Amino acid sequence: MSFKLRLIPAAAAACVIAACGGGDAGAPPGAEVPAAGTTSTGVAVDGYIQAGTVLCDSNGNGKADAGEATTTSGSDGRFTFSPACSAALVVYHGTNADTGQPFRGVLKAPAGASVVSPLTSLVAAGMTVPQVIATLGLPATTDLLNTDPAQRTDGALVNAELLKKTLAVQQLLQKTTEVLARLGNATETTAQQSIYAEVAA
């Protein structure tokens, strides 16, 4: 079944229930989880997400609950947790640095990731890294959880193909979410984020 076809049942469900889902985004095999007491850093990418809220989602429910650490991404999408976050990551709010538009979705990444992007959101939603890589035709050695797709060196993109695929997936998720939100008259940001999460799942 194609990637797009797999989205249809989830999208339909989102239109009906518009509820916040989110499975357990535990560390995938081989993922390195930062040791307690250290500092961990990462980057939020959909274009870089500026001033986004980054949640260390220790209970895996996708929401910022009492006692869970949050931080804010900088102008380059980068963020830091001190002490280190050893749980799944969730990014919401903020502004897309490329478009200047508010970011209305929600990005997720499993524990051990240093990148939070639309592709890591698919992994957090249940796809394996090899499945995402194969579906998008990326090189088998691509480290989705730790490679910044928007990284530049001397002004040139280092991972141009990865960024292209990342933005394509984001457009698919965002546009599907927008259509379902309009159909369900879901105007609140939290409702749109819930739909986005269901579409990714």
Side-chain angles (χ1 to χ4, degrees), residues 1 3 19 26 35 47 56 66 80 83 90 121-122 155 168 172 174:
M1 183 181 294
F3 171 72
C56 181
T80 300
V90 180
S121 296
L122 297 181
L172 177 61
Q174 192 65 50

Side-chain angles (χ1 to χ4, degrees), residues 18-187:
C20 188
D24 183 10
E32 181 180 344
V33 179
T38 63
T39 297
S40 61
T41 61
V43 61
V45 186
D46 167 35
Y48 289 126
I49 301 297
Q50 302 175 330
T53 299
V54 187
L55 164 68
C56 181
D57 191 18
S58 58
N59 65 8
N61 70 354
K63 300 177 182 179
D65 297 312
E68 289 186 315
T70 61
T71 189
T72 302
S73 61
S75 60
D76 57 358
R78 303 196 180 279
F79 57 85
T80 300
F81 282 98
S82 183
C85 175
S86 59
L89 297 168
V90 180
V91 177
Y92 51 94
H93 300 323
T95 302
N96 184 309
D98 291 344
T99 66
Q101 297 298 312
F103 177 65
R104 302 189 185 280
V106 55
L107 301 177
K108 297 183 179 183
S114 62
V115 171
V116 191
S117 74
L119 303 192
T120 66
S121 296
L122 297 181
V123 177
M127 292 182 75
T128 66
V129 169
Q131 284 174 335
V132 175
I133 287 172
T135 299
L136 298 178
L138 293 166
T141 56
T142 304
D143 184 357
L144 294 181
L145 304 183
N146 297 291
T147 303
D148 177 0
Q151 180 183 350
R152 292 178 182 269
T153 298
D154 296 328
L157 281 170
V158 176
N159 305 294
E161 188 64 17
L162 178 59
L163 179 61
K164 178 181 177 182
K165 299 296 176 67
T166 298
L167 296 179
V169 169
Q170 173 59 15
Q171 283 294 306
L172 177 61
L173 296 178
Q174 192 65 50
K175 293 304 180 184
T176 303
T177 297
E178 290 172 3
V179 169
L180 294 173
R182 285 196 297 270
L183 289 173
N185 197 28
T187 58

